[in-house]
Amino acid sequence: MSIVQDPAHSDGAPTIEGTGIRVKDIAIAYEHSGYEPDEITQLYPDLTLGDVHRALAYYFDHIDDFRPAESAPA
């Protein structure tokens, strides 16, 4: 599976093709909740370990798109 963006699903957020699972959700589970990739496959049984790694690679390759833009000083 690959990472896709469809404005008709998940508000156009990048998702894992055929699942509707957002890359953002995988990244949050990994970075903020401390789950390892193999544990994420237990959270999302529709995903393979390869899917999780693809999602994380996409996240880190596009990290600025996922993090809020810093506001300019007033």
Side-chain angles (χ1 to χ4, degrees):
M1 290 187 217
S2 61
I3 306 302
V4 296
Q5 286 183 268
D6 182 349
H9 300 286
S10 300
D11 294 325
T15 60
I16 299 170
E17 182 179 28
T19 68
I21 299 169
R22 299 179 304 173
V23 168
K24 175 182 175 180
D25 296 327
I26 302 301
I28 288 170
Y30 181 74
E31 277 202 315
H32 300 288
S33 298
Y35 288 101
E36 293 296 322
D38 62 326
E39 294 173 313
I40 294 171
T41 63
Q42 294 171 18
L43 295 173
Y44 298 99
D46 291 339
L47 301 183
T48 66
L49 189 55
D51 294 332
V52 172
H53 283 285
R54 269 187 289 286
L56 291 173
Y58 183 94
Y59 170 72
F60 286 112
D61 284 347
H62 300 91
I63 199 157
D64 290 338
D65 296 338
F66 289 93
R67 295 202 171 152
E70 294 186 29
S71 56

